[in-house]
Structure formats: structure tokens, C-alpha cells
Amino acid sequence: YKISLSFETKFVDTQIVCRSVQITQVLQNLIHNAVDVLENCEEKWIKIGLQINNDSVIEISVSDSGPGIPEAIRNKIFDTLFTTKTNGKGTGLGLSISKRFIEEHYGYLKLDSSSLNTKFVIGLPLKRAMLEKNQSARVRVS
């Protein structure tokens, strides 16, 4: 089946300090989850968005045309071993590991519950914000 993929950016060239393999794994997991949920949907699209907030955080969003995550399970989706996928299709590790990877980068991974569809948002500090954080940490240590 075909899925429409689009990118929406609202920023100029910038840099982050990260372990690119881990960030790639997080994005792959979010996109893979979106592809899985769209299998039985009539409308099939995934949108990747990028924007800078407060001049210190880049937000990367991954949203899809799926039905969204039911309110009853929203507080469980980042729990280790929790999955809504059928047996053999998911392990319940993807979102919990993704959240841990992002938090190790001093960022956040959250579900945007205000979205009509499913939308996850990754927030990562920009390079200058990370450098300032590390500088202030060094000052406190000495």
C-alpha cells in the first residue's frame, strides 16, 4: 500500500549534539509504528515536522493519519513491554527505549494529545544550549 510522506520545516540551518545512531533509531521506530497503524486506514499519510522553540530546542514531530491513541492507554505507551500490536508484531520496547535515548540527550519524547491523529514530539537541545548546559555544569563542579 502507498503512504504519503511529507516534511514541514520552520527553521534555518542549525546543529544538535547527539549520538546520531540513537536518534535515527528513535525516528525509525516512530515511523515504523506509524506505518503499522496505517495498514488498515483508508487515508494514509505521515508528516515529519521540524521547528525551533525558545531558540534552544529543536522539535521533531512524527504524525500520521491513524485514529490516534485511545485516552485509556496514553499513560502506558512508554512503559516497557506495553504494546498494542498483535502477538509477534511488537515487543513493547520501542517507545520505552526511544524515550530513554531522547532523555539521555537531555531532551523529551511525548505524545501530543491535542492532535486529532497520532503525533509524537521529540525535543532536543540545540548545540549552543547543550554547550551552555555543559559549561554551567563544569562551573558548578569546580
Side-chain angles (χ1 to χ4, degrees):
Y1 56 93
K2 291 184 180 181
I3 298 174
S4 170
L5 178 64
S6 63
F7 296 89
E8 301 171 347
T9 62
K10 300 177 182 175
F11 72 99
V12 294
D13 188 32
T14 189
Q15 294 180 345
I16 60 172
V17 176
C18 70
R19 290 180 292 283
S20 61
V21 171
Q22 288 183 341
I23 302 304
T24 300
Q25 287 176 327
V26 171
L27 289 169
Q28 285 177 334
N29 180 63
L30 293 175
I31 292 167
H32 187 264
N33 285 350
V35 168
D36 283 349
V37 81
L38 295 179
E39 185 175 354
N40 297 317
C41 293
E42 192 171 312
E43 185 180 11
K44 296 173 176 41
W45 54 258
I46 297 172
K47 294 179 183 172
I48 313 283
L50 298 162
Q51 69 179 29
I52 294 178
N53 284 343
N54 301 326
D55 204 31
S56 62
V57 174
I58 188 166
E59 284 193 338
I60 306 165
S61 62
V62 178
S63 55
D64 63 58
S65 58
I69 296 175
E71 192 172 341
I73 63 167
R74 287 181 189 164
N75 63 338
K76 300 176 186 178
I77 60 172
F78 292 107
D79 291 353
T80 303
L81 301 180
F82 178 80
T83 186
T84 59
K85 295 180 181 180
T86 59
N87 224 2
K89 196 143 190 187
T91 61
L93 294 174
L95 286 176
S96 64
I97 290 172
S98 293
K99 188 170 196 251
R100 182 173 51 100
F101 282 171
I102 297 300
E103 288 174 349
E104 287 173 359
H105 284 82
Y106 303 102
Y108 54 84
L109 172 60
K110 63 183 181 179
L111 174 68
D112 180 351
S113 56
S114 69
S115 177
L116 297 176
N117 303 95
T118 303
K119 181 178 182 180
F120 285 93
V121 178
I122 300 165
L124 294 167
L126 295 176
K127 184 176 181 179
R128 65 180 169 275
M130 185 60 104
L131 293 174
E132 289 169 7
K133 184 178 192 97
N134 287 339
Q135 183 63 32
S136 64
R138 274 191 239 121
V139 171
R140 275 189 239 126
V141 171
S142 37

